[in-house]
Amino acid sequence: MPVIYIALSGNTQIRGLSAAICRFYGLPVKGDADTLAERAVDAVLSMKTVAMVIDDIHFLAGSTSNSVRMANQLKYLSNVFPVTLIYVGVGVQERGILHEGFSPRESPLAQFGRRTTALTLLPFQVDDDEGRLQWRQLLKTIEQKLVLAEKYPGMLAEDLSDYLFARSTGHFASLMSLINRGCLRAIRGGHERVDEGLMNQVKNDAAAEEARKELEAEIKAGLKTTRPTQDPRRRRKSA
């Protein structure tokens, strides 16, 4: 079991974190926090796990006692687990999570930030061919995995490329929410494929809906496109 995935919630306790790790491995979750922690360590070692993904780390924002205790528990895990810990969250640096709620004057006391390398995941962009090709490849990959009776090659990557970029503003979470809801509507209505008419009936998250108008205007005016200026297959042949 090389990689395990754990998601935090707004009220995750220390015992709950250890229980979530045990539950992922299919182990019993009875016992106190120390018992579950020992069981989790044994599982990580015996299953040869090398990476642990902990999602929604932004729930540790603030200086509440539970958040501080959980931050201390994560530092403990980094000491006892011989794995790479990958934390995923929104606005991690802005929320002060790496400072553990300490004031700027006390920030040197925060150890979590000293043990963590912050990486930024930017939204997809289509300002150049490299970005457009990445967007195209993403849509082709999603398209291949859709389970719709009447899907066809190019349904997303060709026919809906500009449309999906405007509706999602290049954000992966917004894109997947939109496609998932569109597929659900297509299946329930017996349509079994997604097109612009069907997708117009689907509402997306508030942030994406608010920003879509500007992108749609730029695309309609020809100021922005998701289509590469040169076919990548043709470029490889010429090279």
Side-chain angles (χ1 to χ4, degrees):
M1 189 72 69
V3 180
I4 71 171
Y5 170 87
I6 304 297
L8 299 182
S9 67
N11 61 351
T12 301
Q13 306 290 326
I14 292 177
R15 183 187 180 281
L17 178 61
S18 298
I21 297 174
C22 292
R23 193 176 294 112
F24 186 95
Y25 287 112
L27 299 174
V29 292
K30 295 182 178 180
D32 58 22
D34 291 338
T35 300
L36 291 178
E38 292 176 3
R39 192 174 296 155
V41 172
D42 290 340
V44 168
L45 295 175
S46 62
M47 298 298 288
K48 299 181 181 179
T49 299
V50 296
M52 181 183 299
V53 181
I54 300 180
D55 202 358
D56 294 328
I57 194 71
H58 49 266
F59 282 125
L60 296 185
S63 56
T64 63
S65 58
N66 181 54
S67 297
V68 174
R69 287 197 300 270
M70 185 58 66
N72 289 333
Q73 180 68 7
L74 293 177
K75 287 184 288 187
Y76 164 76
L77 295 183
S78 68
N79 288 333
V80 299
F81 284 175
V83 301
T84 298
L85 290 166
I86 303 172
Y87 305 107
V88 183
V90 179
V92 173
Q93 297 195 65
E94 292 82 355
R95 294 171 187 261
I97 296 171
L98 300 182
H99 300 299
E100 302 174 39
F102 285 105
S103 66
R105 182 181 300 179
E106 298 172 315
S107 60
L109 299 176
Q111 300 178 42
F112 193 63
R114 296 284 182 180
R115 305 177 184 209
T116 306
T117 300
L119 302 175
T120 300
L121 183 61
L122 298 174
F124 287 89
Q125 58 84 25
V126 293
D127 296 329
D128 52 40
D129 262 3
E130 182 180 1
R132 297 182 191 115
L133 290 172
Q134 289 178 351
W135 178 253
R136 178 184 176 88
Q137 186 59 47
L138 171 65
L139 294 184
K140 289 175 66 176
T141 301
I142 297 173
E143 185 180 284
Q144 292 170 1
K145 297 181 180 298
L146 295 184
V147 185
L148 294 173
E150 296 186 21
K151 77 171 185 178
Y152 56 89
M155 184 177 67
L156 300 185
E158 294 290 343
D159 295 349
L160 292 176
S161 180
D162 285 350
Y163 178 87
L164 291 174
F165 186 81
R167 289 291 309 271
S168 66
T169 63
H171 288 79
F172 182 75
S174 299
L175 174 68
M176 294 310 301
S177 294
L178 183 63
I179 292 177
N180 284 333
R181 294 170 185 175
C183 288
L184 180 61
R185 182 177 288 269
I187 293 170
R188 286 179 173 175
H191 197 59
E192 288 296 335
R193 65 180 181 277
V194 294
D195 52 37
E196 189 168 335
L198 180 138
M199 297 300 279
N200 282 336
Q201 304 174 45
V202 179
K203 292 187 180 296
N204 207 1
D205 61 87
E209 290 295 331
E210 184 178 349
R212 65 179 285 199
K213 293 183 179 180
E214 182 178 348
L215 276 175
E216 286 178 335
E218 291 183 13
I219 290 173
K220 288 181 180 179
L223 301 176
K224 187 181 291 290
T225 181
T226 63
R227 302 181 183 281
T229 56
Q230 185 177 1
D231 189 314
R233 293 170 297 181
R234 187 182 305 168
R235 185 167 58 186
R236 284 198 298 268
K237 290 180 180 179
S238 62

